[in-house]
Amino acid sequence: MSAIIRYVINMIPYMMIAVPIYLIGRLVFCKTKKVKTNWFHEITLFAFVIFLVGLASQTIIPKFETGVNGFNIVQSGIHKTNLIPFKVLFETYQEVFVNGYINYFLINFLGNIILFIPFGLIIPLLWKTSIKQTILIGFSSSLFIEICQLFLTRGTDIDDLILNTTGVLLGILVFKFLQNHCKVFVEKFN
């Protein structure tokens, strides 16, 4: 659990920098384009963009540290590439049931799924996209992250792509449930 808290704390500075930039940019965009919108849409869009900044800060933006010499990019860790599908299942079993390390399951397995649920839920909530388009956007976003990680000291893993896309599918299921059972609520976001 402390590792999850550490990830969230690491996201906060990036998100705080993004807030005024987003608010000013969105205000200018809406004024110049005369965009007709509502609070449900705007608050959800704001939350999604800030979420994306947090996600990028932990996956593709290099880590920075400050010190006597100014800002430095942190170059720690080793790059690993996994192109074997479902290897994560065996690793999760090994880490959780043999080594007793539950954080691996929480961060690597569940984390990769949960982080992409917003793609499947929020994208069709804010914009009229089909299921195929939503899956493609989520899959492409995950693929983009994995390709970027080829050039960073982070792991590139086919299983992350599979788990992230699973998260998108779960998000779509939540959206479909809301669409079928809370139609009036869903219509407030358009």
Side-chain angles (χ1 to χ4, degrees):
M1 193 61 138
S2 64
I4 295 168
I5 293 169
R6 191 172 58 248
Y7 278 111
V8 172
I9 289 171
N10 288 338
M11 290 178 188
I12 292 172
Y14 296 93
M15 295 165 117
M16 288 176 59
I17 291 168
V19 167
I21 295 168
Y22 172 81
L23 292 175
I24 292 167
R26 185 68 179 160
L27 183 65
V28 169
F29 176 79
C30 287
K31 291 253 187 216
T32 58
K33 299 289 184 185
K34 297 187 183 352
V35 174
K36 195 173 182 182
T37 187
N38 65 58
W39 285 104
F40 286 97
H41 184 89
E42 287 303 319
I43 290 170
T44 306
L45 179 60
F46 169 76
F48 188 57
V49 169
I50 298 306
F51 160 77
L52 291 175
V53 169
L55 178 64
S57 75
Q58 299 307 299
T59 56
I60 59 175
I61 297 173
K63 303 283 185 254
F64 295 97
E65 64 181 21
T66 57
V68 181
N69 299 328
F71 288 104
N72 296 314
I73 295 176
V74 177
Q75 295 283 340
S76 61
I78 0 175
H79 179 79
K80 295 186 318 182
T81 301
N82 171 39
L83 299 176
I84 303 167
F86 306 110
K87 183 177 178 186
V88 72
L89 296 174
F90 302 109
E91 289 176 350
T92 300
Y93 176 83
Q94 179 72 28
E95 290 297 325
V96 173
F97 296 108
V98 176
N99 299 335
Y101 185 60
I102 191 73
N103 277 350
Y104 185 87
F105 173 74
L106 294 173
I107 294 168
N108 197 43
F109 194 84
L110 279 184
N112 275 305
I113 293 171
I114 292 169
L115 279 175
F116 273 73
I117 289 175
F119 284 83
L121 172 60
I122 295 175
I123 289 171
L125 193 61
L126 293 177
W127 301 285
K128 297 210 181 296
T129 58
S130 69
I131 292 174
K132 285 182 183 179
Q133 289 170 322
T134 303
I135 293 169
L136 183 62
I137 292 167
F139 175 83
S140 299
S141 299
S142 178
L143 182 62
F144 176 76
I145 289 170
E146 294 305 317
I147 290 171
C148 287
Q149 289 178 345
L150 282 169
F151 307 101
L152 302 171
T153 54
R154 300 190 52 91
T156 300
D157 197 330
I158 188 77
D159 287 332
D160 288 355
L161 193 58
I162 294 167
L163 295 171
N164 294 160
T165 305
T166 302
V168 175
L169 294 170
L170 289 174
I172 290 169
L173 289 175
V174 172
F175 172 74
K176 286 298 185 185
F177 176 83
L178 291 173
Q179 191 178 42
N180 291 333
H181 298 289
C182 307
K183 190 170 184 138
V184 174
F185 175 74
V186 170
E187 289 172 354
K188 291 181 179 185
F189 292 88
N190 294 321

